[in-house]
Amino acid sequence: MPVPPLLALRGVRKRFGAVEALADVELDVRAGEVVALMGDNGAGKSTLVKVIAGVGPADEGVIEWAGRPVRVRNPQDAHALGIATVFQDLALCDNLDVVGNLFLGRELRRVGLLDEAEMERQTRDLLSSLAIHVPNLRAKVASLSGGQRQTVAISRSLLGEPRLLLLDEPTAALGIQQTSRFLDLVEMLRDRGLGVLLISHNMGDIKAVADRVAVLHLGRNNGVFDVGTTSQEQIISSITGVTSHHHSSARRTSPPGQAER
């Protein structure tokens, strides 16, 4: 019997007044897989991430987690399932240090006092396990580079040992070297068995780490493509709407060597 996807969306709809931001969206993400979510501006990518993260729950449709239907009404529901999100703005507190940011809202206490030593130890262990080097854990986040800030935000999301990581445009503000390090980190997380949903406009990043690409166009599915066997041109034509795959289900991928018709 096949193992069900870690996350499956079935017929998800989301409206804002008269505007239908998402219509009958289907999406699968498996454990140990990086799925890239692509689409033009206004395609519904950020809305879909917010649905999964519980920030803006769906109006209709089913969300399945490891094969069973679940309700994700708020971020606490998503967190309890094992879903962690790193939004584009990173949501870091510039006036706090690295340790303070990692444990913000879930500080460790001992005899009623903050256990700074234990939080610092866990921070150092976590960053070390991810091969992330931050010279001074007590440096204010405001003093860090863009790449270091990004890794702090991801590290914070991994504290609770999630099973699915949502990354919204993670390399948008990074240089070439920082992006390369970040993509190495994504590959490491996939190798550890995490599911990763990567929202990006950068085709180079996606070709480097994604297994499949799910395309949204005007709030609808417009194809799911195997990265290794689909040309960049085919994916771009799907993003721009030149080719239509609206009938395609996210449950199906293209046969080797050919994109979905």
Side-chain angles (χ1 to χ4, degrees), residues 162-192:
R163 297 173 65 194
L164 175 67
L165 188 59
L166 312 179
L167 300 170
D168 191 0
E169 297 286 357
T171 62
L174 301 186
I176 294 171
Q177 192 173 12
Q178 293 173 332
T179 295
S180 176
R181 283 197 199 121
F182 169 77
L183 296 175
D184 288 345
L185 176 57
V186 171
E187 289 194 316
M188 183 193 299
L189 296 174
R190 171 180 58 198
D191 292 345
R192 290 186 182 183

Side-chain angles (χ1 to χ4, degrees), residues 3-10 27-32 51-53 62-72 77-85 160-166 193-197:
V3 177
L6 186 58
L7 174 79
L9 306 185
R10 303 287 177 245
L27 179 73
D28 285 356
V29 183
R30 298 183 178 279
V51 165
I52 299 167
V62 175
I63 297 177
E64 293 178 1
W65 183 255
R68 62 184 180 89
V70 293
R71 298 185 71 179
V72 184
D77 286 349
H79 186 260
L81 290 171
I83 299 171
T85 311
E161 299 189 353
R163 297 173 65 194
L164 175 67
L165 188 59
L166 312 179
L194 268 75
V196 179
L197 183 64

Side-chain angles (χ1 to χ4, degrees), residues 184-237:
D184 288 345
L185 176 57
V186 171
E187 289 194 316
M188 183 193 299
L189 296 174
R190 171 180 58 198
D191 292 345
R192 290 186 182 183
L194 268 75
V196 179
L197 183 64
L198 173 66
I199 295 86
S200 180
H201 282 97
N202 190 310
M203 191 67 75
D205 292 356
I206 281 161
K207 284 285 187 181
V209 297
D211 300 294
R212 292 185 297 134
V213 178
V215 175
L216 290 181
H217 181 65
L218 301 177
R220 294 177 177 273
N221 288 112
N222 201 24
V224 181
F225 305 96
D226 182 281
V227 171
T229 59
T230 309
S231 72
Q232 193 165 313
E233 291 72 25
Q234 287 171 307
I235 295 171
I236 290 171
S237 69

